[in-house]
Amino acid sequence: MNISYIILVPLIPLALFVLLGLFSKKIPPSIAGWIGSLGLGTAFVLSLYTAYHYFLGAKLDGVYQTFTYKSTWIIFSDKLHMDMGMLIDPISVMMLVVVTTISFMVHVYSRGYMKGDDGYTRFFSYLALFSFSMLGLVLATNLFQMYIFWELVGASSFLLIGYYYTKPSAVAAAKKAFIVTRFADLGFLIGILVVSYYSGSFDFGELNSLDGNVITNWTATSFMGLSVFTWGLILIFMGGVGKSAMMPFHIWLPDAMEGPTPVSALIHAATMVVAGVYLVARLFPLFYFVEDGFVLSIVAYIGAISSLVAAVIAITQTDIKRVLAFSTMSQIGYMMLALGVSKYEGHEGLGYMASMFHLFTHAMFKALLFLGAGSVIHAIHSNELADMGGLRKYMPITHITFLIAALSIAGFPGFAGFFSKDEILAAAFENNRLIYVSSVIVAGLTAFYMFRLYFGIFWGKDKKYEHTPHESPLTMTIPLIFLAFMSVFGGYIPFSEFISADLKSFTSHLDLPLAVIASTVGIIGICLAYVFYKKENNLSEKATQLFGAFYQWTFHKFYFDEIYLFITKKIIFGILAAAIAWFDKYVVDAFMIGVGNVTMAFSNQIKGIQSGKVQDYAMAFVGGVVVLAMVVFYIWIN
């Protein structure tokens, strides 16, 4: 298979970034939007072309081949070097399609959403930079190359989150995202250095080889009861936790909603936040075999806890974009726990396939939810659920597409989310019943909070709007329609025939009793939301009073932000920094000042030696000669 043309997929967004960035003042906004959209459209078509040829013609003995193109970039030693290149295998091809699809839809949508904005061209250049960075990450052949693009993704997301740089809350959100992910990425970098030092390689192929040095000799060196490879993988996973907004590095994600809504769809629905999932999937054999899957168990439990906590918090949020942000955190947790409970069956197990499948379907319906929310915000100029109601009459396309996305994420039978979510629950049921029960609860909570959002926006009490709401223009509704189509029919793609251990059809993996249980729980959640929010009533206020303090805890996101602020301001910058400042002032500074004072006092005592008087110098000279003569005479006579 010829893969040389695939380099154009990331290079096209890079060229767009350079062109729109350098000539942002000269290119008219309307043309800039078309340039960006056509460029990403081309990358999208190339990705589909790649997927078509790969999945139809890259099998050898029933297994998909891996194609690698790379060249040495930096040589560290005889054994350790870093390459730059492209890795083409089932999950990288799938991610190419996901990233370019969502990026293309966001570019088209932004032509209408951002119309009239002062930084219109600059916005499209930032989108292109982010797309280039994410595509480079997806195609990376080794850990260090992935880390380079990992950091570029962080930098470009910083620019997009803080796009409204005159708005203090947007600036604070961008800094928060950057700082929190920097702590996690430090762990990622240290993990890369540990693994590469002891394995002698950054390359994914060598690290994941079942006959390679790492998997066969992971017990060679240990530290504090665990192998150094285990510690390295824990630190690498720490980077994934930060980028995918898992606990405890999740606090940046809700605030990142300060960026324009298309940014939320691109970064926080389908691309950046799944980078951590992709990282674990890319190193899955290593996670599975080192320390008998100890790190993979950590992945499973962090994913399950994050999924449950985020779903509970989402129920109480009133900003519709923040509800979707916590929904993203919850669904990413689903993907993580699926990897964590996967069994290794030749190459990848059911959970592995389920995680990748859910990554694909989630990209479609979550991008649709964010863009639908953006359409609503564009119409009424508010993010608050309390300001919305009865919008189905004014925005029929947005209403129907949002409903489709809500049904898909709720796992309603027949929609894309149903198929991928059932695979995850089946994998959890086989391997960890506790995580399975937690996941079923999350399925019910997801259906409830999504239809709380749906009924609150499009039904409920009709509000009196200052300006009569209207449907968004075609440039915004066409992406909604396309993503709605994918949110329904994306689940019918024979995904398990492309990315699974046995390459069998979905029906062979379908567990009907588990599917019935999950669907029933989801339908119960939808029905409860219908009772609470379809028509105006006081049931939600009664429920709020019933849960009392627990409601306050969830509304304030379990006070994670306050805890971190207390630790940083009161302990680190308060007690520790104050103690260090005291030591610096009264010990370090005092010592240096003392040295200076002693030197000055001593110099005052001896400064008369250099009085400037010739007779004093002559007397000192003669006195010195006499003393030297006496010393020499004394030595001579003895």
Side-chain angles (χ1 to χ4, degrees):
M1 179 179 176
N2 180 19
I3 65 170
S4 58
Y5 71 90
I6 299 176
I7 192 65
L8 295 174
V9 178
L11 287 183
I12 289 172
L14 177 61
L16 291 174
F17 164 67
V18 174
L19 176 65
L20 298 177
L22 291 178
F23 301 101
S24 60
K25 301 294 184 182
K26 297 181 179 179
I27 300 176
S30 57
I31 296 178
W34 275 108
I35 291 173
S37 299
L38 290 173
L40 262 296
T42 304
F44 169 61
V45 171
L46 285 175
S47 297
L48 291 180
Y49 179 78
T50 301
Y52 175 79
H53 281 277
Y54 182 82
F55 288 118
L56 291 183
K59 278 187 180 180
L60 181 64
D61 297 328
V63 178
Y64 286 106
Q65 294 178 272
T66 297
F67 299 94
T68 305
Y69 171 80
K70 59 185 179 181
S71 60
T72 301
W73 185 35
I74 300 175
I75 299 176
F76 295 102
S77 66
D78 294 338
K79 296 182 178 180
L80 187 61
H81 59 87
M82 194 181 84
D83 302 327
M84 293 292 282
M86 298 184 299
L87 174 61
I88 305 301
D89 68 351
I91 61 171
S92 65
V93 172
M94 182 270 293
M95 286 295 292
L96 276 181
V97 173
V98 169
V99 174
T100 54
T101 299
I102 304 304
S103 185
F104 177 48
M105 292 298 107
V106 167
H107 273 75
V108 174
Y109 182 92
S110 297
R111 290 186 56 248
Y113 188 88
M114 300 299 292
K115 187 176 181 180
D117 190 273
D118 292 338
Y120 187 89
T121 305
R122 174 170 57 89
F123 178 77
F124 277 91
S125 70
Y126 290 171
L127 287 182
L129 175 62
F130 178 85
S131 301
F132 160 70
S133 304
M134 194 67 206
L135 290 167
L137 186 155
V138 165
L139 293 171
T141 63
N142 60 77
L143 273 172
F144 216 102
Q145 183 183 349
M146 177 180 275
Y147 182 76
I148 291 171
F149 286 100
W150 189 277
E151 293 304 312
L152 274 175
V153 167
S156 52
S157 67
F158 171 81
L159 295 173
L160 287 167
I161 295 168
Y163 173 75
Y164 297 121
Y165 58 86
T166 57
K167 188 179 177 183
S169 58
V171 174
K175 289 193 295 183
K176 185 176 183 180
F178 195 78
I179 292 169
V180 171
T181 52
R182 288 295 69 70
F183 280 101
D185 291 352
L186 174 63
F188 186 18
L189 177 59
I190 296 172
I192 291 172
L193 297 177
V194 169
V195 169
S196 62
Y197 178 80
Y198 285 97
S199 67
S201 176
F202 296 112
D203 189 80
F204 290 130
E206 294 180 25
L207 292 174
N208 289 328
S209 173
L210 300 186
D211 302 321
N213 177 54
V214 180
I215 291 178
T216 57
N217 298 298
W218 60 264
T219 58
T221 309
S222 62
F223 176 71
M224 293 179 64
L226 296 174
S227 72
V228 291
F229 286 116
T230 301
W231 285 112
L233 288 177
I234 290 173
L235 290 167
I236 287 173
F237 177 59
M238 179 179 171
V241 169
K243 196 70 79 181
S244 291
M246 296 285 96
M247 292 178 65
F249 295 113
H250 66 284
I251 59 171
W252 66 268
L253 187 63
D255 289 355
M257 297 301 109
E258 292 291 341
T261 301
V263 171
S264 303
L266 179 63
I267 295 179
H268 310 121
T271 50
M272 173 179 167
V273 289
V274 300
V277 179
Y278 180 74
L279 172 65
V280 177
R282 176 54 72 200
L283 292 172
F284 182 74
L286 204 59
F287 276 90
Y288 188 90
F289 285 106
V290 169
E291 208 80 54
D292 297 325
F294 174 76
V295 184
L296 210 56
S297 298
I298 296 175
V299 172
Y301 281 103
I302 287 182
I305 293 169
S306 298
S307 183
L308 181 59
V309 170
V312 172
I313 294 174
I315 293 174
T316 62
Q317 299 304 297
T318 58
D319 183 316
I320 63 172
K321 287 178 66 177
R322 287 179 181 265
V323 173
L324 296 178
F326 281 106
S327 172
T328 297
M329 177 181 165
S330 183
Q331 297 302 305
I332 298 296
Y334 252 22
M335 300 173 205
M336 284 291 193
L337 73 86
L339 288 170
V341 299
S342 184
K343 287 184 178 180
Y344 197 93
E345 302 169 359
H347 186 57
E348 299 98 2
L350 174 61
Y352 177 97
M353 183 276 291
S355 178
M356 296 297 98
F357 193 13
H358 198 60
L359 188 157
F360 179 82
T361 59
H362 173 264
M364 304 305 160
F365 60 67
K366 185 52 66 63
L368 175 56
L369 287 168
F370 269 110
L371 295 183
S375 182
V376 170
I377 295 167
H378 186 264
I380 68 168
H381 307 291
S382 174
N383 291 26
E384 286 297 319
L385 193 58
D387 298 333
M388 302 171 188
L391 287 174
R392 70 189 184 282
K393 296 179 295 185
Y394 307 103
M395 310 179 72
I397 297 177
T398 302
H399 167 231
I400 296 299
T401 54
F402 196 95
L403 174 60
I404 289 171
L407 287 168
S408 189
I409 193 175
F412 196 83
F415 289 77
F418 163 76
F419 296 102
S420 57
K421 187 173 289 187
D422 180 73
E423 297 275 18
I424 292 174
L425 294 174
F429 183 81
E430 288 183 9
N431 296 283
N432 192 310
R433 296 296 171 83
L434 178 62
I435 289 180
Y436 167 74
V437 172
S438 170
S439 301
V440 171
I441 294 171
V442 171
L445 294 175
T446 301
F448 178 78
Y449 69 66
M450 281 313 309
F451 276 85
R452 166 181 175 258
L453 209 60
Y454 165 72
F455 289 125
I457 295 172
F458 297 103
W459 295 83
K461 182 182 179 181
D462 291 354
K463 296 293 191 298
K464 292 182 179 180
Y465 301 102
E466 291 185 11
H467 305 285
T468 303
H470 57 84
E471 186 57 89
S472 299
L474 276 178
T475 187
M476 295 172 65
T477 54
I478 287 175
L480 296 182
I481 295 169
F482 174 82
L483 292 171
F485 176 85
M486 292 301 298
S487 297
V488 176
F489 296 104
Y492 296 95
I493 295 173
F495 201 87
S496 55
E497 296 180 24
F498 303 143
I499 303 176
S500 69
D502 50 20
L503 303 179
K504 293 180 180 178
S505 64
F506 171 77
T507 53
S508 65
H509 294 142
L510 178 65
D511 192 318
L512 189 59
L514 296 182
V516 170
I517 292 172
S519 298
T520 302
V521 171
I523 291 170
I524 291 172
I526 294 172
C527 291
L528 284 174
Y530 178 89
V531 172
F532 273 74
Y533 302 104
K534 171 66 164 54
K535 295 181 180 180
E536 188 179 17
N537 57 62
N538 63 348
L539 290 177
S540 59
E541 287 79 4
K542 288 182 178 179
T544 299
Q545 295 172 1
L546 178 65
F547 285 99
F550 183 72
Y551 170 82
Q552 292 299 324
W553 275 70
T554 55
F555 180 75
H556 291 96
K557 297 163 285 188
F558 292 106
Y559 296 98
F560 274 100
D561 287 274
E562 287 78 5
I563 291 170
Y564 283 137
L565 283 174
F566 174 79
I567 292 172
T568 53
K569 285 190 174 182
K570 299 295 184 182
I571 297 179
I572 297 177
F573 297 140
I575 299 173
L576 295 179
I580 294 171
W582 182 92
F583 181 82
D584 181 64
K585 182 176 181 179
Y586 293 103
V587 178
V588 178
D589 284 357
F591 174 76
M592 298 309 298
I593 291 170
V595 170
N597 290 337
V598 169
T599 303
M600 290 181 64
F602 182 69
S603 65
N604 285 331
Q605 295 297 320
I606 64 172
K607 65 182 180 180
I609 295 174
Q610 291 185 324
S611 63
K613 298 179 180 179
V614 177
Q615 57 270 34
D616 291 343
Y617 297 160
M619 183 174 292
F621 177 77
V622 172
V625 170
V626 171
V627 170
L628 288 174
M630 291 177 64
V631 170
V632 171
F633 180 73
Y634 175 78
I635 294 173
W636 179 70
I637 64 174
N638 286 286

